[in-house]
């Protein structure tokens, strides 16, 4: 089942509440613009491609209530303000606006829902194609290390929870499983929000061998020769191949370079900001300090608890993303194949985006 589906009555979407995973598998019905915006803001839905698809459906639901130009503008502004970094949000809202604006108000809601559904299916196809392109990379590496599983390290969650199916960074892993290439995944815990636990939950469901490690263990793993390749997702890729992803990604890339381990990002075209010349143009989300000062989990009695780990008065900064310079990447796995992480590399695969 996908982390977002259209409700059977067509009047809402149902999401898998990722704020409650991996402790509880709960579906939530979202009927209004405000509910969808809140779900994105509070990370009940998260991951760049899923944020985009959720926003597209949110806009369609908003147009049911108010299909006027003013309604359209209010809805796009509300959704655009939810999270700043994943460019898929803007991509989705721009595409939806271009589709609905030219038609009469009375026809907008139905058209918008159809367009959101098309975008969802296109993202699924893109993830599947990323899986095939990445599989070729994994196969080549596995052939050079016969007789043992291929060790992949990932950071954050870039699986089907963050997209709709397959994922981006995890798509090659799932495809490898499907075709019988032995893989084992090292899963970074990904403090402060712990998206690594979502990855572990996903991989567990699919029966993919995996081991969770503290984010700070990556350097040791590389030194011990325990990692063959790093695969991460992306929230926004700049035109020059700089990759913005969950905070901590750039440290993994630096350590991988030092150890000679290839580092790939996987992302669909919807995650590329063709207007961003380089990573310095990408806004980095600053999130609430409590994500750092407190930890949340299941208590011994089975109930969810929040514990403060910080002293009462402490200065905290919580940037949610960082930028990995293109030079540290072995490539960017896209739905059109593996691009060199550079403007030239992206131009080869997406020439239409560089047309004058
Ligand atoms: O803050 P999040 O959980 O939305 O961040 C998600 C990530 O950083 C993912 O790695 C990225 O979106 C790729 S999703 C396929």
């Amino acid at each position: 089942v996908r982390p977002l589906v259209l409700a059977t009555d067509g009047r809402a979407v149902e999401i898998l509440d990722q704020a409650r995973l991996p402790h509880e598998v709960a579906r939530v019905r979202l009927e209004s613009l405000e509910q969808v915006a809140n779900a994105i803001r509070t990370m009940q839905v998260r991951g760049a491609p899923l944020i985009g698809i959720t926003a597209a459906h949110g806009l369609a639901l908003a147009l049911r209530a108010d299909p006027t130009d003013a309604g359209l503008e209010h809805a796009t502004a509300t959704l655009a303000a939810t999270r700043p970094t994943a460019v898929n949000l803007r991509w989705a809202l721009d595409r939806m606006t271009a589709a609905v604006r030219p038609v009469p108000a009375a026809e907008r809601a139905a058209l918008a829902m159809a367009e959101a559904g098309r975008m969802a299916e296109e993202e699924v196809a893109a993830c599947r194609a990323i899986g095939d392109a990445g599989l070729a990379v994994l196969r080549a590496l596995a052939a050079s290390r016969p007789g043992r599983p291929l060790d992949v390290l990932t950071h954050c969650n870039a699986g089907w929870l963050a997209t709709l199916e397959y994922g981006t960074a995890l798509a090659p892993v799932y495809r490898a499983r499907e075709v019988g290439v032995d893989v084992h995944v090292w899963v970074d815990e990904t403090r402060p929000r712990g998206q690594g636990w979502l990855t572990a939950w996903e991989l567990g469901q699919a029966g993919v061998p995996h081991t969770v490690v503290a984010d700070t263990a990556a350097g040791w793993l590389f030194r011990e020769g325990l990692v063959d390749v790093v695969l991460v997702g992306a929230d926004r890729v700049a035109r020059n191949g700089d990759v913005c992803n969950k905070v901590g990604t750039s440290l993994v890339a630096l350590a991988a370079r030092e150890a000679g381990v290839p580092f790939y990002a996987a992302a669909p075209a919807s995650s590329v900001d063709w207007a961003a010349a380089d990573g310095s143009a990408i806004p980095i989300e600053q999130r609430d300090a409590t994500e750092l000062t407190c930890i949340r989990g299941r208590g011994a009695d089975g109930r969810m608890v929040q514990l403060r780990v910080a002293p009462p008065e402490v200065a905290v900064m919580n940037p949610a993303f960082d930028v990995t310079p293109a030079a540290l990447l072995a490539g960017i796995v896209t739905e059109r194949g593996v691009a060199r992480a550079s403007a030239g590399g992206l131009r080869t695969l997406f020439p239409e985006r560089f047309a004058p």
Side-chain angles (χ1 to χ4, degrees):
V1 180
R2 294 176 176 181
L4 176 142
V5 291
L6 189 60
T8 42
D9 60 12
R11 307 187 70 82
V13 290
E14 283 168 12
I15 57 152
L16 191 53
D17 185 349
Q18 299 193 38
R20 290 199 248 170
L21 279 176
H23 305 288
E24 198 187 334
V25 179
R27 295 214 156 252
V28 176
R29 182 177 163 96
L30 308 174
E31 296 181 346
S32 67
L33 168 67
E34 286 68 30
Q35 287 175 345
V36 171
N38 188 55
I40 298 173
R41 203 178 302 112
T42 59
M43 295 176 67
Q44 288 177 295
V45 289
R46 45 148 297 284
L50 183 61
I51 289 171
I53 296 303
T54 306
H57 284 85
L59 191 61
L61 292 174
L63 290 171
R64 274 177 179 278
D66 181 358
T68 63
D69 282 359
L72 176 61
E73 266 152 40
H74 170 68
T76 48
T78 303
L79 290 162
T82 52
R83 294 194 71 191
T85 301
V87 77
N88 308 64
L89 182 59
R90 195 183 72 202
W91 165 82
L93 295 174
D94 285 352
R95 177 162 156 183
M96 292 289 289
T97 302
V100 300
R101 199 181 262 295
V103 306
E107 294 167 25
R108 284 179 174 169
L111 183 94
M113 200 50 95
E115 184 70 0
R118 256 191 305 277
M119 289 164 74
E121 297 314 317
E122 287 174 23
E123 287 294 73
V124 169
C127 287
R128 163 92 198 193
I130 286 171
D132 285 334
L135 174 62
V137 173
L138 297 191
R139 270 201 160 123
L141 285 166
S144 67
R145 294 158 175 75
R148 62 169 180 82
L150 190 75
D151 282 296
V152 177
L153 183 137
T154 193
H155 191 76
C156 197
N157 171 263
W160 62 264
L161 281 172
T163 57
L164 285 172
E165 289 184 17
Y166 285 103
T168 54
L170 293 189
V173 169
Y174 288 133
R175 290 289 295 128
R177 264 306 266 196
E178 285 172 6
V179 302
V181 175
D182 256 357
V183 283
H184 165 263
V185 183
W186 294 108
V187 180
D188 275 357
E189 181 197 11
T190 317
R191 277 287 283 157
R193 275 194 76 101
Q195 285 91 335
W197 300 115
L198 300 178
T199 297
W201 180 81
E202 250 200 72
L203 294 173
Q205 301 264 310
V208 178
H210 62 281
T211 309
V212 178
V213 287
D215 304 333
T216 43
W220 180 82
L221 290 173
F222 291 137
R223 285 268 170 188
E224 295 291 312
L226 295 172
V227 183
D228 296 309
V229 60
V230 180
L231 270 174
V232 298
D235 292 86
R236 197 184 289 224
V237 177
R239 209 174 160 83
N240 72 338
D242 287 352
V243 168
C244 181
N245 190 49
K246 181 54 55 192
V247 69
T249 302
S250 68
L251 286 176
V252 177
L254 280 167
R257 163 58 57 94
E258 222 270 318
V261 174
F263 180 103
Y264 291 89
S270 58
S271 299
V272 183
D273 183 349
W274 304 100
D278 60 43
S280 67
I282 299 173
I284 302 294
E285 178 178 16
Q286 298 288 332
R287 291 192 63 86
D288 198 273
T290 53
E291 290 185 346
L292 212 62
T293 56
C294 299
I295 50 169
R296 264 174 64 76
R298 205 184 258 288
D301 62 358
R303 286 213 292 245
M304 291 303 292
V305 285
Q306 179 159 308
L307 298 174
R308 189 172 170 95
V309 290
E313 306 261 324
V314 66
V316 168
M317 185 184 264
N318 185 18
F321 300 95
D322 65 21
V323 174
T324 299
L328 295 180
L329 285 139
I332 301 174
V333 187
T334 77
E335 64 269 52
R336 294 196 190 167
V338 182
R340 270 183 300 113
S342 63
L346 288 169
R347 185 189 290 118
T348 305
L349 294 188
F350 299 93
E352 74 280 12
R353 299 293 183 167
F354 289 81

